[in-house]
Amino acid sequence: MTINQLSTQPPFTTKDGSTIRSILDRTNAPVQNQSLAEATVPVGRPTERHYHKLSEEFYFILEGQGTMEIDGETREVTPGDAILIPPGAWHQITASQTLRFLCCCAPPYSHEDTYFANL
């Protein structure tokens, strides 16, 4: 049985600029097909617009408010919103109030599967 406590997971900055704490992924559990993390995006520091070739992502907003952009479509997001980000979709999230959300990726998140326009 694997049970990881969020508060014991060290934060790190992802390639897109968000701060995450991995709850369950290949680095801290015998995970094969997905990953779960808590992400934080402060006001004034949006994630860098990017896409993942392989990973499908879910964001679930826990706290704060912001704007989610996926492939040119923009919507306001608030607590309780669940967002689907398909593989290959360009996306960026911007906080108008500091955002805290869960991020689930399948296959698991990896820096190597994060692409930017300038690459």
Side-chain angles (χ1 to χ4, degrees):
M1 178 183 299
T2 301
I3 299 174
N4 289 350
Q5 175 56 249
L6 175 63
S7 64
T8 66
Q9 305 309 311
F12 69 95
T13 301
T14 62
K15 202 171 172 183
D16 70 12
S18 58
T19 299
I20 72 168
R21 289 192 290 174
S22 179
I23 301 167
L24 290 167
D25 73 10
R26 292 176 177 158
T27 67
N28 62 13
V31 169
Q32 297 298 311
N33 301 313
Q34 60 188 323
S35 61
L36 177 63
E38 175 203 55
T40 303
V41 176
V43 175
R45 295 187 41 208
T47 61
E48 189 172 341
R49 192 168 191 264
H50 64 285
Y51 71 95
H52 307 283
K53 286 184 181 178
L54 301 176
S55 284
E56 175 180 75
E57 290 186 280
F58 296 156
Y59 288 179
F60 184 75
I61 307 298
L62 299 169
E63 296 175 359
Q65 290 183 183
T67 304
M68 184 77 220
E69 181 265 323
I70 301 174
D71 281 339
E73 183 179 351
T74 303
R75 301 251 320 256
E76 296 298 314
V77 293
T78 60
D81 287 343
I83 304 155
L84 169 62
I85 305 167
W90 285 95
H91 58 283
Q92 179 177 40
I93 192 162
T94 304
S96 53
Q97 295 178 356
T98 296
L99 284 164
R100 189 171 71 89
F101 54 96
L102 296 178
C103 179
C104 183
C105 297
Y109 172 84
S110 74
H111 289 319
E112 296 76 27
D113 186 38
T114 303
Y115 299 89
F116 303 94
N118 59 352
L119 295 180

